[in-house]
Structure formats: C-alpha cells, structure tokens
Amino acid sequence: MNEEQAFIVRHEDNERRKEALPVDILGREELIAQVLDLLNTLSEVRSSCTFALNGKWGAGKTYIIKKLEQQLQDYEGTGKFVTFHYNCWQYNYYEEPLVAIVAAMQDSLDEQRHLLSPEMRGRMGQALEISLGVMKKLAYSIVRNKTGIDVKEVSDTVKEEADEWQKKQEEQQQYDKYYAFKKTIDEARKQMSEISSQATVVIVVDELDRCLPNYAIKILERLHHLFAGLDNTIVILTLDGGQLERTVKCIFGEETDSSEYLRKFIDFEIPIDIGSVNSGFFEKYHEYVSLFDPNLLEPWPEISDYVSALFSKMDMRTQEHLIKKIETIHRLVFKDKKKDYSYLCFELLMVVFSHMAPRSNRIPIFFQKHTHDEFILAFAEEALPNKFVAYAKEHWKYQITILREMGATSVYFPDAMDIPRLLICYSEDVYGNGKMCEQSPGLPKWDRSCVQEFREVLRLLKIIR
C-alpha cells in the first residue's frame, strides 16, 4: 500500500467513525476543543499526567471521549499522538487489571492499523506483546500464590510431592508475590516508555464507575503503577467523582478522606455538567420527529428554545429513555396518522412532567386568577424545570378574554391559535376540567378531538415506568 492509498484508507476509517457517533445535541464542541488544546500543550512538554472528566451518570462523558478520540485520530497519521481505549467494564473478566489494560491497548492498536505507519505499528505491537506476556506471567503467579499450588506442576507430580512443595512455598509466598509483581511492573513500564518515545500516548479509561468497588480501586492503582511518571504519557479517566468517593469510603471506611486518597491517582479534573439541548435534538431523534408533519401549522421559530428549556434538568441517558418511551406510546395511540408539531411539543411536555412528578395531580400549565378580572399564566413549578418555567413566563404573554356564562367563568384567546396557546389549552383540558378553551362563536377554534387521545397517552405514561 503506497502513501496515497494509506491516506485514503485513514480518511475512510475516520469518516466511518464519525458516522457511527450520535448527533451532538448538548453543544460539547467547545469543551472537546478545550480538552484537545490541553492535550496538545501536554504533548509539547512531554508531560506525564492523569486527569478526569468528572460528570454524573448520563452526562454524556462517553460521547465526549469518543468524539475526542475521533479528533485525535487526525493527528495519528502524523505520528504526534497514539490513542488507546480501555473500557473497564468491557474487560472486567480479567481478574488482574494489568492484563486487562495491556490487552485493551493491544486491541486498540489492531483497530488503528491503518492510522499508523508500518514501522510505528510494528514497534508498538512488539512492546505491547512483550508487556502482555509479562502481565500473563504475573496473573499466573498471582493464581499460584493464592492457592499455593502450581497447577502445571500438579499435573506431573503425585499428590504427596505437591503437598510437600506447597509447604515449602508457604514461607516464600509473600516475598515471591511482591517480587514478581515489582519485576513485572518494571518490565511493563520499560515497554510503555518505548511506546511513548515515539508519540504522545493517550490512554482513555471509560466506564470506571460501572465496575465493582474493589475492582475500580485496583484499576486506579494499576494505572498509577504502570503510567505514573512516564514521559509523554497522558491518562484520561471518565468518572462520577461523587460515586468514586463513596467507593473509597466503602472499601477503606467512612472516616477515610476520599478526596485526598484520589489525589494520589488524579492530578486534576474537568467538570462535565448535563449540557444544554440545542437544535440537534431534531436530528438526533429524527425517527420520533418524523411522526409529525411540520407543514400542518405555521412554523414556530422558538421551538428549539422550548425543547432546550424543557430538557434543561435532564441528563442525556434519561432524555434518550424518555424519548424512546414517548415514541413507543405515540405509535400505539396515533398509529400512522401524521400529527402537527403542537402534538410533538405537548407529548414532550407530558413525558417530562410525568417523569419529574409521577404522582402529581397538578395541571402543568394553566391560567390562575390574579385579581377580579385578571388571569395570569401559572405552572406546576415543582414538577417542571426552572428554566422552562422562566422561559414560558418571559415569552408567553397573551391577551386573554374572560367570559361569564350561567355562573361559569371561561378563558379564551382572542387571537389566532399558535403552538404555545394550543399547549395551554391541551394542558387545561387533558389534566383539568376542560373549561379552559370551550368553543364559542366568533372566537378562535381548535380541534378538541385530540383531548381523548392525549388522555390515553397520559394513561400509558402512568402505566409504563
């Protein structure tokens, strides 16, 4: 393969990886660019560093590192960086994390075979092969020292001889165990140093907080043993700091200063919040959005602001779960009938409201009597995101009409019905008593046939948890 062919293969690999990633609806580009700048700075000074991307479960940490790895691959053709991905959860069947770490690095190298020059790939492959060999010997040594029996020798030795051998080994067991461990680490670090002499090594460690407590701590210790102080080597951890601190206390006791303990392994951290939904929402959830026809109503320019505010307290995984849930319910209730975007917006409101206040009997959005003749827009504020309530109060300021007939008071909109007005009507009629926007001659009309369908959506939301 000549250089031009190799470039084409690398480009095609990168494009395939880009297509495999979901749409970024939380606007993570700036954060990823900042982390990339940091990595370039650390590379220039050939630093040894371990830092963490710290965010709660569902904050999208895995997406961030995958996107970051994708961008780092643009450098790999130049030989500046080589990136290894270690998914702790995926490799947790290895009892000894050292073996898992090197095995994951070897797998990463195989996946990047088109991104590295043959010479670099060969040298790194040899170093990893040597490291994996000594790690396997260590794992075998640990098994032997735990049992006190060398399983290979037992197959060739009568039981009496094995028992005698075991007795002799007991005195040397602890010494042998730690000596073998130190020699293995020294040899592995030597090979890792060989790799980092050729390019900046970036080891991405994902899903640490999914591992059992003892194993998670052992991983941190092994990473420190293997990479701490190695020039031109950067370890990036994705974790939930609060959960990891609880893990430390679970193992070492409630009185342990968990922050101080973790500082031995992590130089600094970059906090990851839950992000803010942007216009990419409609691209990411295109299958659900495709169930609605945007041409059935006048376009609503603020729809992206509405969605962003509505999901402002929602982490990515919870959001994905809720969209899948409401999509399933929509297909059950409405079948293949195309609906307008007011249905889309109200279903999103319903699923968020149901998630945040599953037992609430309140109405999400309603008009509340303020003075004798004045009604103001109100919300079930304890069951909706603060950002959404603030957004609606600022932007949904409608002139309304009060009608009193036969002792009953009803509220009407004198203007044409747009999506926000419809959402208020749906909310009053589906969750309330249906007196909000009754039809009256000369006033704007809306199709109330949807109310029973929305009530069926609400019923299924309460059933499906």
Side-chain angles (χ1 to χ4, degrees), residues 91-361:
Y91 286 85
N92 72 347
Y93 49 82
Y94 286 105
E95 183 179 359
E96 173 49 56
L98 279 173
V99 180
I101 293 166
V102 179
M105 292 178 70
Q106 197 170 48
D107 289 344
S108 292
L109 187 65
D110 290 341
E111 291 173 3
Q112 301 173 71
R113 59 189 180 278
H114 297 310
L115 299 174
L116 304 171
S117 68
E119 180 184 1
M120 181 176 290
R121 188 170 67 247
R123 293 174 66 187
M124 288 185 180
Q126 181 182 16
L128 288 172
E129 190 67 38
I130 294 172
S131 295
L132 191 58
V134 295
M135 297 301 182
K136 286 179 178 177
K137 289 180 180 178
L138 173 64
Y140 172 73
S141 174
I142 290 172
V143 171
R144 182 188 65 197
N145 285 319
K146 279 186 176 181
T147 62
I149 300 174
D150 187 323
V151 291
K152 291 183 178 179
E153 292 187 20
V154 170
S155 61
D156 300 324
T157 309
V158 295
K159 185 176 184 304
E160 292 81 5
E161 291 177 340
D163 289 341
E164 181 65 24
W165 175 87
Q166 178 182 354
K167 184 177 179 180
K168 291 180 179 178
Q169 290 297 308
E170 286 177 352
E171 296 179 359
Q172 294 292 324
Q173 185 171 346
Q174 289 300 316
Y175 174 80
D176 289 345
K177 177 180 177 181
Y178 291 111
Y179 180 76
F181 181 83
K182 182 180 183 306
K183 293 294 288 183
T184 301
I185 290 290
D186 289 346
E187 180 60 34
R189 283 175 61 85
K190 177 182 175 183
Q191 300 303 323
M192 295 301 158
S193 180
E194 168 65 20
I195 296 173
S196 64
S197 69
Q198 303 167 56
T200 300
V201 174
V202 179
I203 303 99
V204 177
V205 182
D206 195 19
E207 303 284 16
L208 180 66
D209 38 22
R210 289 187 66 185
C211 297
L212 292 172
N214 284 325
Y215 196 72
I217 295 302
K218 189 183 287 187
I219 288 170
L220 283 178
E221 292 174 345
R222 297 300 190 260
L223 289 168
H224 183 75
H225 291 144
L226 195 54
F227 299 113
L230 283 184
D231 291 345
N232 213 21
T233 303
I234 304 165
V235 179
I236 306 175
L237 302 163
T238 69
L239 51 82
D240 179 340
Q243 183 173 328
L244 192 58
E245 289 189 9
R246 289 190 290 274
T247 293
V248 172
K249 290 180 180 293
C250 175
I251 294 174
F252 300 107
E254 287 295 325
E255 301 303 316
T256 305
D257 186 340
S258 53
S259 297
E260 186 64 30
Y261 175 82
L262 291 173
R263 271 196 287 271
K264 295 190 296 183
F265 307 110
I266 303 170
D267 296 310
F268 61 88
E269 67 178 43
I270 298 174
I272 308 295
D273 59 23
I274 61 174
S276 179
V277 176
N278 58 31
S279 58
F281 178 94
F282 294 88
E283 183 181 354
K284 177 179 175 66
Y285 301 114
H286 66 277
E287 289 188 7
Y288 172 59
V289 175
S290 69
L291 302 176
F292 305 88
D293 187 342
N295 300 313
L296 296 178
L297 285 177
E298 286 293 319
W300 184 29
E302 293 181 14
I303 192 168
S304 291
D305 296 334
Y306 168 85
V307 172
S308 178
L310 189 59
F311 285 95
S312 58
K313 287 186 68 175
M314 205 74 65
D315 64 75
M316 179 57 65
R317 291 184 184 176
T318 302
Q319 180 194 116
E320 290 173 346
H321 166 73
L322 293 183
I323 297 300
K324 187 63 178 176
K325 180 178 179 179
I326 196 62
E327 179 184 346
T328 301
I329 292 174
H330 179 95
R331 292 181 186 276
L332 288 172
V333 174
F334 297 103
K335 309 301 180 186
D336 296 325
K337 294 182 290 186
K338 287 279 187 176
K339 297 297 181 179
D340 63 59
Y341 266 25
S342 72
Y343 284 68
L344 166 68
C345 293
F346 191 61
E347 285 183 5
L348 294 178
L349 174 67
M350 293 174 79
V351 75
V352 170
F353 187 73
S354 175
H355 173 74
M356 294 186 65
R359 295 174 180 83
S360 175
N361 293 319

